[in-house]
């Protein structure tokens, strides 16, 4: 934390120096142009006014980072997990199956942990949990499974979940194809694709929901 605060202070000083350099250049350029059109007194007043309205940009909000935090990245829709803080000003993050190193400034915010949601678990048949963002429909008939998928996606949207997993198993592929067809026409679905091996491989489908 001390290292992060020290680096943030250094970035702020550098930002202030760049602003001062740019503002001085702007004022000098304005003064040079104004001298051709205004009297010396008018130029002086205009420069004073320009100096007043050119305010330094507000300091960026400091984001307290820590390993294991869920973070939102610049230009990335999916939430990521902060794995390591590197000494060269970079951070190692993992978003879905992607692991990458990015500048720490690309981390917009740390997303607070959501309080555990109540698990909805029917007495029989498949179950879905908003907390784990996973639906298991292995062994179900296609009609039953598709009804559960619709309910699960509705719950995920209401809970502002962006990425979920549907576990359908391998089998003959009938259930997998039926679910793929349903996902393709569901208005909540942005895209879907087979899970990685660590998340179930071809026996599961990852679904990314629309904003």
């Amino acid at each position: 934390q001390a290292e992060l605060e020290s680096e943030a202070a250094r970035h702020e000083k550098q930002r202030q120096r760049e602003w001062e350099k740019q503002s001085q250049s702007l004022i000098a350029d304005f003064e040079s142009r104004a001298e051709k059109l205004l009297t010396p007194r008018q130029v002086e007043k205009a420069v004073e006014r320009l100096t007043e309205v050119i305010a330094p940009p507000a300091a960026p909000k400091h984001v307290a980072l820590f390993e294991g935090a869920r973070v939102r990245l610049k230009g990335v829709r999916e939430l990521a997990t902060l794995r390591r803080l590197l000494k060269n000003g970079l951070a190692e993050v993992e978003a879905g199956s992607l692991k990458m190193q990015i500048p720490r400034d690309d981390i917009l915010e740390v997303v607070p942990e959501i309080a555990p949601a109540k698990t909805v678990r029917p007495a029989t048949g498949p179950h879905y949990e908003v907390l784990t963002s996973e639906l298991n429909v292995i062994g179900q008939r296609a009609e039953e499974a598709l009804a559960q998928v619709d309910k699960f996606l509705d719950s995920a949207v209401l809970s502002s979940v962006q990425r979920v997993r549907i576990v359908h198993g391998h089998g003959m592929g009938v259930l997998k194809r039926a679910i793929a067809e349903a996902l393709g026409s569901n208005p909540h679905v942005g895209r879907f694709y087979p899970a990685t091996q660590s998340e179930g491989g071809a026996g599961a489908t990852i679904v990314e929901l629309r904003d």
Side-chain angles (χ1 to χ4, degrees), residues 2-211:
E3 180 185 348
L4 290 174
E5 292 177 354
S6 175
E7 185 174 343
R10 181 173 60 82
H11 279 305
E12 178 61 16
K13 288 182 180 179
Q14 181 179 355
R15 193 177 64 88
Q16 289 289 344
R17 287 196 298 268
E18 293 175 353
W19 171 82
E20 290 175 0
K21 182 178 179 180
Q22 292 174 356
S23 62
Q24 289 173 1
S25 175
L26 176 62
I27 291 174
D29 181 66
F30 171 78
E31 198 170 2
S32 174
R33 295 171 182 269
E35 287 175 350
K36 301 176 182 179
L37 304 173
L38 307 174
T39 66
R41 181 56 181 166
Q42 289 174 324
V43 171
E44 182 180 352
K45 288 185 176 181
V47 170
E48 289 177 357
R49 178 57 181 160
L50 180 61
T51 303
E52 291 176 358
V53 299
I54 300 179
K61 182 179 179 182
H62 175 62
V63 179
L65 303 176
F66 57 92
E67 294 180 0
R70 297 285 288 170
V71 295
R72 192 178 307 280
L73 307 180
K74 185 186 299 182
V76 179
R77 178 175 178 271
E78 183 179 348
L79 293 180
T81 301
L82 176 58
R83 292 305 183 192
R84 287 194 303 159
L85 293 171
L86 308 176
K87 292 185 178 181
N88 56 359
L90 299 178
E92 183 178 286
V93 299
E94 186 174 345
S97 60
L98 297 178
K99 183 178 292 186
M100 51 192 169
Q101 294 182 359
I102 62 170
R104 293 182 188 177
D105 290 343
D106 284 356
I107 300 177
L108 301 180
E109 64 173 327
V110 173
V111 179
E113 293 291 337
I114 301 175
K118 182 179 180 182
T119 299
V120 180
R121 191 181 295 274
T124 59
H127 67 274
Y128 54 94
E129 301 175 356
V130 174
L131 177 60
T132 59
S133 302
E134 178 181 302
L135 171 67
N136 189 330
V137 294
I138 293 178
Q140 297 298 307
R141 291 186 293 108
E143 183 178 350
E144 295 174 339
L146 294 180
Q148 291 293 328
V149 168
D150 283 340
K151 293 179 182 178
F152 174 63
L153 295 179
D154 288 342
S155 298
V157 170
L158 292 175
S159 302
S160 299
V161 174
Q162 294 182 318
R163 181 178 183 272
V164 298
R165 181 173 65 157
I166 300 175
V167 181
H168 42 67
H170 298 275
M172 301 296 293
V174 176
L175 190 56
K176 178 179 179 180
R177 288 193 295 272
I179 290 175
E181 291 178 4
L183 294 176
S185 60
N186 191 296
H188 298 318
V189 176
R191 69 185 187 117
F192 60 94
Y193 45 87
T196 62
Q197 288 302 316
S198 62
E199 293 181 299
T205 297
I206 302 299
V207 183
E208 293 183 1
L209 302 176
R210 298 182 187 276
D211 290 328

